[in-house]
Amino acid sequence: MFIKENFKKIYLFLSTSIFLSVIYISMQFNINCMGGFQLIYEFYILDNCILLGLDSISLILIFLTTMVIPLCILFNWFTFKSNKENFFFFSILILIELLLILVFLVLELVFFHIVFEFLLIPFYSIIALTNGKQYSRNINSVNKKINAFFLLFFHTIIGSLLMLFGILLIYTNFSSTLIPLLWYSKIDSFTEHFLWFLFFISFSVKIPIVPLHLWLPEAHVESPTEGSVILAAVLLKIGLYGVIRILLPCFSEACITYCVWVWLLGIISVIYTSMSACVQVDIKRIIAYASIGHMNICVLGIFSLDVTSIFGSIILMFAHGLASAGLFFVIGILYNRFHTKNIKYYNGIIFNMPVLSICFFLLSVSNFGMPGTLNFIGEFYIFSSFSNSDIFYIYIGVFLSILLSSFYTIYLYNHIIFGNSNRFFYYNTLDISILEFFVLSVLIIFIFTLGINPLAIADILKSDLNYYFYYYN
């Protein structure tokens, strides 16, 4: 009975404790260690060795995960009325958090693949089952939800099967799937290139890269606010994490061979998704396309095969997790007030919700990389690595990505915040609550504090990046 009545507090305490534990581990983390993993733990399942280990890249992504989940729980504190719905939803959030931590720790390919794919099951539940009652009377809403579910399912199952086939091929050749062991294993050229394609396509679905992106906007639109926050802030980072952890160290020759083609794909993705964001009317869909653009800028940085640019990509991954989470929280606040995501209904919010307008502004300028924000630091390091490149289309792509991301962000903010206020639509509207302000403030403080002083992250990442990518420089 006690658990049933206090499960919200129990889950908040559990997620907050995990976050504080990660902070403690961060303080104990040896930043002077010359690369490699720390806090290694080994256990066996059916005589198979499962290795868990923590390095600086894993630590930063786990920190982001454990910070976002408690904010999602707080944001959802007063949303649902039914105890059954609340218990189900909060349980899913905690399960997703634990699986995300595990996927960033595991150093064995089979177990990585299992967690990597099993993680999508609770997210399927969020899309398919959450708030099902409110959709039961509207057949169009039901069809959209089913469409989003199947787009996500079929895209991920294709990537899953390709990765599984690649893992089986690796085990056939090396009798082991331990990731650190594969870093130093010699692979013949044909096998390496074939494996690179299998893993690259699988990770491209998760990032996502055009044309494998169609599932993401639909998943965002049909997810509740907390689902969109987790998807944009953390789940999209798993594909990039897989590229950094597996593709670059294990298949270095293939990465060098195909990096120019990946640049071309990344630039096409950035330009296409940015232009798509400019013509959307659903405010969630705008931020969803913006997320795809930012993830592909990270792809450009990673496949520049330069330590500085890879560092910038990791910074941008972390920064995008904070900014996109904040923007989806803002959209969730607006939706909770007005029950629509259509941008044409929003004008003059500043007259009724000035505090929200200020928070929205700070998150918007972060989204297009204004100096002083953490996004700017990441983009600066990524773009600086291309300054020595003689490939002209890189400059064009970088310029267009900056221009278009600034355009759709300013358009979104200007349309919602300014203009003539619809007094009938906004009648008796309250500004954000203290709890909502706290959730947004935490993200904004991290964005600008680390944007002004990024050395807190740089010192952690320095040794590991030099250790992993020394053979590219």
Side-chain angles (χ1 to χ4, degrees):
M1 180 65 74
F2 174 80
I3 295 177
K4 185 176 181 180
E5 294 177 352
N6 297 276
F7 66 87
K8 283 187 178 181
K9 296 177 182 178
I10 293 172
Y11 281 149
L12 180 61
F13 174 78
L14 178 61
S15 61
T16 306
S17 300
I18 295 173
F19 177 61
L20 294 176
S21 300
V22 172
I23 292 178
Y24 175 77
I25 293 173
S26 302
M27 296 172 63
Q28 303 299 316
F29 193 80
N30 184 7
I31 61 175
N32 296 318
C33 178
M34 294 306 294
F37 295 96
Q38 303 179 34
L39 305 176
I40 295 176
Y41 179 74
E42 179 181 318
F43 64 97
Y44 290 85
I45 299 179
L46 301 176
D47 295 328
N48 293 314
C49 176
I50 307 297
L51 201 64
L52 302 179
L54 185 71
D55 69 342
S56 59
I57 302 171
S58 303
L59 179 63
I60 287 174
L61 294 175
I62 290 173
F63 182 87
L64 176 63
T65 302
T66 56
M67 181 176 66
V68 167
I69 298 296
L71 296 180
C72 289
I73 293 176
L74 286 174
F75 185 83
N76 190 263
W77 200 259
F78 300 109
T79 300
F80 297 137
K81 301 297 183 182
S82 166
N83 280 338
K84 185 177 180 180
E85 285 183 334
N86 266 316
F87 183 78
F88 171 78
F89 191 80
F90 280 69
S91 300
I92 288 178
L93 290 182
I94 295 297
L95 177 60
I96 288 175
E97 179 177 19
L98 296 176
L99 290 173
L100 283 168
I101 293 173
L102 192 58
V103 81
F104 293 132
L105 288 176
V106 67
L107 301 177
E108 202 273 338
L109 272 179
V110 175
F111 199 47
F112 175 83
H113 177 263
I114 292 172
V115 181
F116 189 74
E117 300 305 328
F118 186 77
L119 183 60
L120 295 171
I121 296 177
F123 194 76
Y124 289 152
S125 303
I126 289 179
I127 295 177
L129 302 178
T130 304
N131 283 346
K133 292 181 180 179
Q134 75 181 64
Y135 295 104
S136 59
R137 301 173 186 173
N138 189 332
I139 190 64
N140 290 328
S141 297
V142 173
N143 289 337
K144 289 179 181 178
K145 186 172 284 286
I146 292 173
N147 180 58
F149 176 82
F150 279 105
L151 275 175
L152 176 60
F153 175 78
F154 284 115
H155 277 80
T156 52
I157 198 67
I158 291 172
S160 174
L161 292 175
L162 291 175
M163 182 187 290
L164 180 60
F165 182 68
I167 292 172
L168 292 175
L169 188 59
I170 287 174
Y171 185 78
T172 302
N173 282 271
F174 303 104
S175 301
S176 175
T177 54
L178 288 176
I179 295 174
L181 183 64
L182 296 176
W183 290 357
Y184 304 102
S185 300
K186 292 184 178 180
I187 309 175
D188 65 270
S189 182
F190 175 80
T191 304
E192 177 177 344
H193 287 244
F194 184 63
L195 287 171
W196 185 92
F197 275 107
L198 293 176
F199 280 92
F200 178 75
I201 294 173
S202 179
F203 293 139
S204 296
V205 173
K206 301 295 191 297
I207 293 174
I209 297 176
V210 173
L212 302 173
H213 70 290
L214 297 176
W215 65 271
L216 182 61
E218 300 302 325
H220 271 302
V221 170
E222 298 304 323
S223 297
T225 299
E226 298 79 9
S228 294
V229 168
I230 295 171
L231 176 58
V234 188
L235 283 178
L236 294 186
K237 311 304 183 291
I238 297 178
L240 293 169
Y241 174 77
V243 171
I244 295 173
R245 176 68 76 226
I246 298 171
L247 277 192
L248 294 191
C250 298
F251 314 124
S252 56
E253 179 187 326
C255 287
I256 294 172
T257 303
Y258 301 115
C259 65
V260 176
W261 296 105
V262 177
W263 292 350
L264 183 59
L265 267 179
I267 290 173
I268 291 172
S269 300
V270 171
I271 296 174
Y272 172 79
T273 55
S274 298
M275 294 179 69
S276 298
C278 295
V279 298
Q280 301 300 320
V281 295
D282 188 303
I283 52 180
K284 252 193 174 185
R285 204 178 288 269
I286 294 174
I287 305 302
Y289 276 107
S291 295
I292 300 174
H294 282 96
M295 291 300 94
N296 280 276
I297 291 175
C298 293
V299 170
L300 290 175
I302 291 172
F303 279 93
S304 69
L305 307 180
D306 177 78
V307 170
T308 301
S309 188
I310 294 170
F311 166 74
S313 295
I314 297 171
I315 294 291
L316 186 57
M317 288 164 59
F318 186 81
H320 173 265
L322 299 174
S324 63
L327 288 172
F328 278 114
F329 278 134
V330 169
I331 293 171
I333 292 169
L334 293 174
Y335 184 78
N336 290 340
R337 301 291 195 279
F338 308 114
H339 306 291
T340 182
K341 294 175 287 184
N342 195 318
I343 194 172
K344 71 179 183 180
Y345 292 112
Y346 291 100
N347 285 106
I349 290 290
I350 193 171
F351 298 109
N352 300 79
M353 308 178 76
V355 178
L356 177 67
S357 301
I358 294 172
C359 294
F360 193 11
F361 172 77
L362 295 175
L363 292 167
S364 296
V365 297
S366 172
N367 193 52
F368 65 77
M370 188 187 77
T373 64
L374 190 59
N375 297 62
F376 171 77
I377 301 297
E379 291 179 0
F380 176 81
Y381 277 107
I382 291 172
F383 296 153
S384 65
S385 69
F386 291 108
S387 61
N388 298 323
S389 175
D390 296 327
I391 304 176
F392 181 70
Y393 70 81
I394 294 292
Y395 295 106
I396 300 298
V398 167
F399 174 76
L400 287 177
S401 66
I402 297 173
L403 184 65
L404 290 171
S405 65
S406 302
F407 176 78
Y408 64 69
T409 305
I410 293 171
Y411 165 74
L412 176 66
Y413 181 80
N414 183 66
H415 197 288
I416 293 176
I417 300 301
F418 299 112
N420 296 322
S421 176
N422 186 339
R423 293 296 179 180
F424 178 77
F425 188 64
Y426 301 134
Y427 178 72
N428 201 27
T429 301
L430 297 176
D431 208 340
I432 58 175
S433 65
I434 295 176
L435 191 59
E436 291 167 338
F437 178 72
F438 173 78
V439 170
L440 296 178
S441 297
V442 170
L443 298 170
I444 291 170
I445 289 171
F446 270 98
I447 288 170
F448 284 90
T449 302
L450 294 176
I452 295 171
N453 181 29
L455 292 178
I457 298 180
D459 288 342
I460 296 176
L461 288 172
K462 183 178 179 181
S463 61
D464 277 320
L465 288 177
N466 287 331
Y467 180 78
Y468 292 145
F469 308 111
Y470 69 91
Y471 36 80
Y472 286 115
N473 296 276

